[in-house]
Amino acid sequence: MATTESHPVFASLSADDAENQLTEMDSLCMNCHGRGQTRLLLTRIPYYKDVILSSFECDTCHFKNNDIQPAQRVEPLGVLINVHVLNSADLNRQFVKSCYGIVRIKELDFEQSPQGENGVLTTIEGFLSSVIENIQKTIKQIEETLVDTDKNSTDDSKIDKSEFEQQKTKFTEFVARVESLKNLTEPFHFEIDDPSGNSFIENPKAPYRDEQLTKKEYRRTPDQNASLGITEEEEAAADAQNHLTSEEIEALKDEVLVFQTNCSSCNAPCDTNMKVTKIPYFKEIIIMATSCDYCGKKSNEVKSGTGIASQGIRYTLAIKDPIDLNRDILVSETSSFAIPELDFELSSSRSIGGKFTTVEGIFTTLKTQLASVIMPFGGGDSTNRGDKNQMCSFIDIMSAVLAGERYVTIVLDDPAGNCYLQNICAPDPDPQLTVEHYQRTDEQNEELGINDMKTENYENS
């Protein structure tokens, strides 16, 4: 479908006030070239991001088309999400697959390529049903072809008929296997590989850890960047913004730089302020703040000014007094944040990462984010009524921690060595704080892109 209006679609809409508002516009039908209606809704999926839901229907030929697209840009890293489907509740997990995502089911040796696919918001069971429906349509087409072959029987067509029969048998056997997984005769793995980083699978235990779901972020290959429309020049410019030389850092120490960028929410031009500062007993960091005058979006981000450390670092803090909430903390984008007593873990802190605040500030951010969503995927026939109570219970625990009525342990772990938790006894050891330096695994080096770096004799490569 192609829209014919050129004015801003969401000029007066944000994800906070668009929950019950639709934007409608006249559009051109790409099926019959008649006039149709496109409906757009900007909304937020809990634990994920803002998305644009679109629905098109042609009044002339009654062609329909639905799509879902992320309202943000392509993420810096691709994402690989795998869930082990064990029971009927797992079949009800909702997921978002962008138009770049690839779905794999290992037990079926099945892979759905993204070519020609729209973004999808559905459940695992719904996806299996759509696969069965599409294959059954193909079987029906083969059967119609076989009927036509019988009506015009020749020696050549008999050869074609035999080939069609073999195809029909294979498709029928595959449908039976998909039906078997749909009926849970055996567990299976459902995987989404999205180089754009804009796909997502629901965690029904949120905000607690999901042992059946694994998520891995990775650096895209040049071919994947090309498929997303990202050129080598754009990638080099992004790297140049994220990596400053020591001379550049020295020159920026006492200066606040202002440079032009685009808003991550509405893509309007806006200013970003940047300042280099030093955290005592830690290292230099780069603080970046962006404010959009068009949509009001504000964001703060903190990056390391010294690159990846030689070792990973893990902080373990036992909170025993309300004063511990005042400790400074730096949560980087590559770090994980966990509360063992609550079985809570953010394996990747991109949702709250890049923050230099206090322990109280992190707990407040978590509480605010969880309170804003209340219940993951709050609508639909797959909704679990117990999720809301589970979420409210977790928020109550957060409130108790912030009020100093409950004490917990927090674990901050960063393979890149760029996270920080204040030692209030510095330079002496802190009895409540354990600091561990460790060697990264090959998998962690791969996630950080270190395995592809060549630091010796690179001139001859």
Side-chain angles (χ1 to χ4, degrees):
M1 60 184 176
T3 59
T4 58
E5 302 291 338
S6 60
H7 60 273
V9 175
F10 295 111
S12 61
L13 224 58
S14 70
D16 294 327
D17 60 15
E19 194 65 34
N20 298 309
Q21 299 185 44
L22 287 172
T23 299
E24 298 185 3
M25 63 179 68
D26 292 333
S27 302
L28 176 68
C29 177
M30 302 306 294
N31 186 46
C32 69
H33 302 290
R35 304 291 294 181
Q37 277 283 325
T38 295
R39 295 183 176 184
L40 298 171
L41 173 65
L42 175 64
T43 188
R44 178 177 293 115
I45 294 180
Y47 309 106
Y48 180 49
K49 59 179 65 176
D50 297 343
V51 295
I52 300 173
L53 303 175
S54 65
S55 174
F56 172 80
E57 182 174 359
C58 178
D59 298 330
T60 305
C61 67
H62 303 291
F63 171 75
K64 295 182 179 180
N65 186 23
N66 299 305
D67 194 11
I68 179 173
Q69 295 291 339
Q72 285 92 357
R73 300 177 178 179
V74 172
E75 293 292 329
L77 299 175
V79 65
L80 180 66
I81 313 173
N82 189 296
V83 61
H84 194 193
V85 179
L86 301 175
N87 50 51
S88 58
D90 293 327
L91 289 176
N92 286 332
R93 290 178 187 248
Q94 300 193 45
F95 70 89
V96 176
K97 182 186 78 68
S98 78
C99 59
Y100 301 105
I102 300 172
V103 174
R104 299 189 184 99
I105 301 177
K106 181 178 66 175
E107 286 74 9
L108 294 177
D109 195 22
F110 171 83
E111 178 176 302
Q112 184 188 67
S113 61
Q115 283 83 6
E117 291 287 330
N118 289 334
V120 174
L121 169 59
T122 183
T123 63
I124 294 178
E125 182 179 15
F127 176 81
L128 295 177
S129 297
S130 66
V131 170
I132 293 173
E133 181 181 351
N134 291 333
I135 295 178
Q136 286 177 339
K137 288 181 180 178
T138 303
I139 294 176
K140 186 176 180 180
Q141 292 174 353
I142 292 175
E143 290 175 343
E144 292 174 351
T145 303
L146 290 174
V147 171
D148 293 338
T149 302
D150 288 335
K151 290 181 180 179
N152 305 288
S153 180
T154 64
D155 291 338
D156 293 337
S157 63
K158 288 180 181 178
I159 296 175
D160 294 337
K161 180 178 179 181
S162 174
E163 293 177 355
F164 283 131
E165 288 285 4
Q166 291 178 4
Q167 292 179 1
K168 179 183 175 181
T169 300
K170 291 180 180 179
F171 280 127
T172 303
E173 291 175 351
F174 187 80
V175 167
R177 293 174 62 193
V178 178
E179 288 278 8
S180 177
L181 292 188
K182 186 179 175 183
N183 295 328
L184 290 174
T185 56
E186 63 174 304
F188 64 96
H189 292 82
F190 184 86
E191 181 178 274
I192 299 179
D193 186 353
D194 187 354
S196 74
N198 286 324
S199 291
F200 173 77
I201 298 180
E202 176 191 7
N203 171 12
K205 299 178 182 179
Y208 302 100
R209 184 188 300 112
D210 187 348
E211 300 294 345
Q212 294 170 227
L213 187 145
T214 59
K215 178 180 177 182
K216 178 182 178 182
E217 295 177 328
Y218 61 86
R219 293 182 177 273
R220 289 184 289 267
T221 64
D223 289 341
Q224 289 173 326
N225 279 329
S227 68
L228 297 174
I230 301 175
T231 63
E232 294 182 1
E233 290 77 9
E234 290 173 335
E235 192 76 3
D239 288 340
Q241 284 186 348
N242 293 330
H243 298 86
L244 300 177
T245 65
S246 57
E247 291 80 6
E248 290 172 327
I249 293 177
E250 286 292 331
L252 297 175
K253 281 184 178 180
D254 299 319
E255 184 179 358
V256 177
L257 289 185
V258 181
F259 56 91
Q260 285 287 324
T261 184
N262 289 337
C263 175
S264 60
S265 179
C266 67
N267 205 37
C270 59
D271 291 336
T272 293
N273 298 325
M274 184 175 71
K275 176 73 168 68
V276 177
T277 188
K278 181 175 176 59
I279 299 177
Y281 303 104
F282 183 51
K283 60 176 68 175
E284 290 179 332
I285 60 172
I286 301 172
I287 301 176
M288 306 175 72
T290 303
S291 179
C292 179
D293 295 332
Y294 185 76
C295 69
K297 173 77 173 182
K298 294 182 179 180
S299 63
N300 299 297
E301 189 175 4
V302 177
K303 292 182 177 293
S304 169
T306 57
I308 298 174
S310 58
Q311 291 182 313
I313 192 169
R314 183 183 300 109
Y315 294 89
T316 304
L317 172 65
I319 299 176
K320 298 182 178 180
D321 190 279
I323 198 173
D324 291 325
L325 296 175
N326 294 328
R327 293 175 184 251
D328 291 334
I329 185 173
L330 170 61
V331 183
S332 69
E333 292 183 343
T334 53
S335 64
S336 63
F337 182 85
I339 308 174
E341 293 93 336
L342 304 182
D343 194 28
F344 172 84
E345 180 180 0
L346 283 174
S347 58
S348 175
S349 297
R350 290 190 178 275
S351 58
I352 63 169
K355 281 187 178 292
F356 181 49
T357 179
T358 62
V359 174
E360 181 182 13
I362 290 297
F363 277 112
T364 301
T365 299
L366 289 173
K367 179 185 173 182
T368 301
Q369 290 187 355
L370 296 176
S372 67
V373 301
I374 295 299
M375 180 172 59
F377 293 101
D381 56 8
S382 65
T383 301
N384 184 350
R385 293 180 180 272
D387 288 343
K388 184 174 182 179
N389 293 332
Q390 179 175 277
M391 185 65 59
C392 291
S393 174
F394 189 88
I395 292 175
D396 289 341
I397 295 174
M398 287 287 184
S399 299
V401 172
L402 288 170
E405 299 171 356
R406 177 165 180 170
Y407 301 137
V408 295
T409 302
I410 61 175
V411 179
L412 186 63
D413 188 347
D414 185 3
N418 289 326
C419 66
Y420 168 75
L421 191 51
Q422 183 184 13
N423 173 5
I424 58 177
C425 301
D428 298 324
D430 188 332
Q432 294 174 227
L433 181 66
T434 302
V435 183
E436 304 172 64
H437 295 271
Y438 61 88
Q439 295 295 329
R440 287 183 290 267
T441 64
D442 287 339
E443 183 179 356
Q444 289 172 327
N445 284 332
E446 181 67 27
E447 290 179 356
L448 295 173
I450 297 177
N451 290 341
D452 296 330
M453 294 182 183
K454 186 174 183 181
T455 58
E456 296 180 1
N457 299 322
Y458 57 87
E459 300 92 343
N460 300 325
S461 60

